[in-house]
Amino acid sequence: MIQRIQSVYLFIAAALLVVTMFFPVAAYGDVQINLLDHDVPFHPYGLLLVAGGAAIISLVNIFMFKNRTLQLRLCAINIVVITLYYLTYIVYGLLAKTVGGHLRFILSIGTLLPAISFVLMFMAFHGIKRDDDKVKAADRLR
């Protein structure tokens, strides 16, 4: 059901995670590296995998509206996956410092968009929980 507000939150979160792949997350000298660049000396495959996985989970979650319990679990899993994105980002940043060279991870819009997706996931989780509580309360009254 696309008209539910949590479905809109999930869709926007998925869109932001896809857009994240096109913004730079690192720089190698003067060259900025986004998650989809292939002709760079260093590629953050872990970040690409985690961001893509979170986007796919968000899109699948939209169509699980008939099973609210599964939808709540997928939302919680996606919140953990987005947290894993930032942990992976930190690990890549620390590895870049230990390896040396000119690689550095930069703060940009590509770093901020998963945080916005995290907040939207949290809002979707609470919207789904509220719907589930309403259905349970209506079942008790019958």
Side-chain angles (χ1 to χ4, degrees):
M1 275 204 199
I2 301 301
Q3 67 262 24
R4 293 169 54 210
I5 190 67
Q6 53 268 26
S7 297
V8 174
Y9 294 152
L10 291 169
F11 180 75
I12 293 171
L16 289 176
L17 287 165
V18 169
V19 169
T20 297
M21 297 177 196
F22 296 100
F23 285 102
V25 294
Y28 190 79
D30 292 336
V31 179
Q32 290 190 341
I33 302 171
N34 65 28
L35 297 181
L36 297 176
D37 283 339
H38 295 291
D39 56 344
V40 292
F42 172 80
H43 190 277
Y45 288 112
L47 291 175
L48 176 65
L49 181 69
V50 174
I56 290 170
I57 292 171
S58 292
L59 288 176
V60 167
N61 203 1
I62 292 172
F63 300 104
M64 296 292 167
F65 58 88
K66 290 186 180 182
N67 190 348
R68 285 177 305 280
T69 306
L70 178 62
Q71 204 174 22
L72 280 169
R73 286 184 186 152
L74 285 176
C75 254
I77 289 170
N78 214 3
I79 288 170
V80 171
V81 169
I82 293 172
T83 305
L84 183 65
Y85 176 86
Y86 282 108
L87 291 175
T88 307
Y89 187 84
I90 291 168
V91 167
Y92 272 118
L94 292 175
L95 286 176
K97 286 183 181 179
T98 60
V99 171
H102 301 286
L103 180 67
R104 67 188 192 288
F105 277 78
I106 56 175
L107 293 176
S108 68
I109 192 77
T111 312
L112 177 66
L113 291 178
I116 296 170
S117 294
F118 181 88
V119 171
L120 289 170
M121 258 322 131
F122 191 73
M123 292 169 61
F125 181 86
H126 283 288
I128 296 164
K129 180 107 172 92
R130 189 173 51 238
D131 279 357
D132 197 33
D133 291 343
K134 285 180 187 177
V135 169
K136 286 179 183 177
D139 286 343
R140 268 189 301 229
L141 292 175
R142 278 195 247 173

